mmCIF file of all heavy atoms in Angstrom:
data_model
loop_
_atom_site.group_PDB
_atom_site.id
_atom_site.type_symbol
_atom_site.label_atom_id
_atom_site.label_comp_id
_atom_site.label_asym_id
_atom_site.label_seq_id
_atom_site.Cartn_x
_atom_site.Cartn_y
_atom_site.Cartn_z
ATOM 1 N N GLY T 143 1.435 16.079 7.012
ATOM 2 C CA GLY T 143 1.356 16.438 5.587
ATOM 3 C C GLY T 143 2.587 16.100 4.777
ATOM 4 O O GLY T 143 2.768 16.606 3.666
ATOM 5 N N ILE T 144 3.460 15.248 5.338
ATOM 6 C CA ILE T 144 4.646 14.825 4.568
ATOM 7 C C ILE T 144 4.202 13.862 3.463
ATOM 8 O O ILE T 144 3.347 13.008 3.683
ATOM 9 C CB ILE T 144 5.663 14.096 5.489
ATOM 10 C CG1 ILE T 144 5.986 14.921 6.729
ATOM 11 C CG2 ILE T 144 6.918 13.679 4.718
ATOM 12 C CD1 ILE T 144 6.826 16.124 6.519
ATOM 13 N N HIS T 145 4.773 14.000 2.289
ATOM 14 C CA HIS T 145 4.467 13.093 1.174
ATOM 15 C C HIS T 145 5.490 11.969 1.156
ATOM 16 O O HIS T 145 6.636 12.154 1.563
ATOM 17 C CB HIS T 145 4.530 13.850 -0.159
ATOM 18 C CG HIS T 145 3.621 15.034 -0.178
ATOM 19 N ND1 HIS T 145 2.272 14.930 -0.438
ATOM 20 C CD2 HIS T 145 3.858 16.346 0.069
ATOM 21 C CE1 HIS T 145 1.729 16.128 -0.365
ATOM 22 N NE2 HIS T 145 2.671 17.004 -0.061
ATOM 23 N N PHE T 146 5.066 10.814 0.644
ATOM 24 C CA PHE T 146 5.980 9.678 0.594
ATOM 25 C C PHE T 146 6.047 9.079 -0.794
ATOM 26 O O PHE T 146 5.053 9.048 -1.511
ATOM 27 C CB PHE T 146 5.547 8.592 1.592
ATOM 28 C CG PHE T 146 5.828 8.983 3.007
ATOM 29 C CD1 PHE T 146 4.860 9.623 3.762
ATOM 30 C CD2 PHE T 146 7.071 8.763 3.565
ATOM 31 C CE1 PHE T 146 5.124 10.030 5.058
ATOM 32 C CE2 PHE T 146 7.349 9.164 4.861
ATOM 33 C CZ PHE T 146 6.377 9.800 5.603
ATOM 34 N N VAL T 147 7.228 8.606 -1.144
ATOM 35 C CA VAL T 147 7.373 7.822 -2.365
ATOM 36 C C VAL T 147 8.095 6.543 -1.942
ATOM 37 O O VAL T 147 9.139 6.585 -1.311
ATOM 38 C CB VAL T 147 8.081 8.623 -3.489
ATOM 39 C CG1 VAL T 147 9.298 9.348 -2.989
ATOM 40 C CG2 VAL T 147 8.452 7.727 -4.650
ATOM 41 N N GLY T 148 7.462 5.405 -2.224
ATOM 42 C CA GLY T 148 7.991 4.126 -1.772
ATOM 43 C C GLY T 148 7.692 3.926 -0.302
ATOM 44 O O GLY T 148 6.858 4.640 0.248
ATOM 45 N N PRO T 149 8.343 2.974 0.395
ATOM 46 C CA PRO T 149 9.421 2.153 -0.145
ATOM 47 C C PRO T 149 8.893 1.035 -1.047
ATOM 48 O O PRO T 149 7.703 0.747 -1.049
ATOM 49 C CB PRO T 149 10.055 1.561 1.110
ATOM 50 C CG PRO T 149 8.936 1.456 2.083
ATOM 51 C CD PRO T 149 8.042 2.626 1.792
ATOM 52 N N GLU T 150 9.815 0.429 -1.765
ATOM 53 C CA GLU T 150 9.473 -0.678 -2.642
ATOM 54 C C GLU T 150 9.664 -1.998 -1.893
ATOM 55 O O GLU T 150 10.370 -2.063 -0.899
ATOM 56 C CB GLU T 150 10.404 -0.695 -3.860
ATOM 57 C CG GLU T 150 10.292 0.515 -4.735
ATOM 58 C CD GLU T 150 8.928 0.638 -5.376
ATOM 59 O OE1 GLU T 150 8.316 -0.406 -5.660
ATOM 60 O OE2 GLU T 150 8.458 1.766 -5.575
ATOM 61 N N GLU T 151 9.030 -3.014 -2.455
ATOM 62 C CA GLU T 151 9.193 -4.352 -1.898
ATOM 63 C C GLU T 151 10.243 -5.080 -2.739
ATOM 64 O O GLU T 151 10.267 -4.929 -3.962
ATOM 65 C CB GLU T 151 7.849 -5.065 -2.015
ATOM 66 C CG GLU T 151 7.896 -6.465 -1.568
ATOM 67 C CD GLU T 151 6.579 -6.919 -0.942
ATOM 68 O OE1 GLU T 151 5.719 -6.069 -0.649
ATOM 69 O OE2 GLU T 151 6.452 -8.113 -0.750
ATOM 70 N N GLY T 152 11.109 -5.843 -2.123
ATOM 71 C CA GLY T 152 12.074 -6.600 -2.923
ATOM 72 C C GLY T 152 13.238 -7.073 -2.094
ATOM 73 O O GLY T 152 13.240 -6.981 -0.862
ATOM 74 N N GLU T 153 14.233 -7.586 -2.781
ATOM 75 C CA GLU T 153 15.455 -8.073 -2.135
ATOM 76 C C GLU T 153 16.196 -6.866 -1.583
ATOM 77 O O GLU T 153 16.354 -5.862 -2.273
ATOM 78 C CB GLU T 153 16.306 -8.783 -3.187
ATOM 79 C CG GLU T 153 17.565 -9.391 -2.673
ATOM 80 C CD GLU T 153 17.433 -10.905 -2.512
ATOM 81 O OE1 GLU T 153 16.627 -11.508 -3.237
ATOM 82 O OE2 GLU T 153 18.147 -11.425 -1.673
ATOM 83 N N MET T 154 16.657 -6.957 -0.320
ATOM 84 C CA MET T 154 17.329 -5.817 0.282
ATOM 85 C C MET T 154 18.833 -6.064 0.334
ATOM 86 O O MET T 154 19.288 -7.201 0.199
ATOM 87 C CB MET T 154 16.787 -5.585 1.685
ATOM 88 C CG MET T 154 15.280 -5.681 1.715
ATOM 89 S SD MET T 154 14.545 -4.933 3.133
ATOM 90 C CE MET T 154 14.776 -3.243 2.820
#
Side-chain angles (χ1 to χ4, degrees):
I144 308 288
H145 304 279
F146 287 92
V147 46
E150 297 296 328
E151 176 148 347
E153 183 103 27
M154 315 199 71

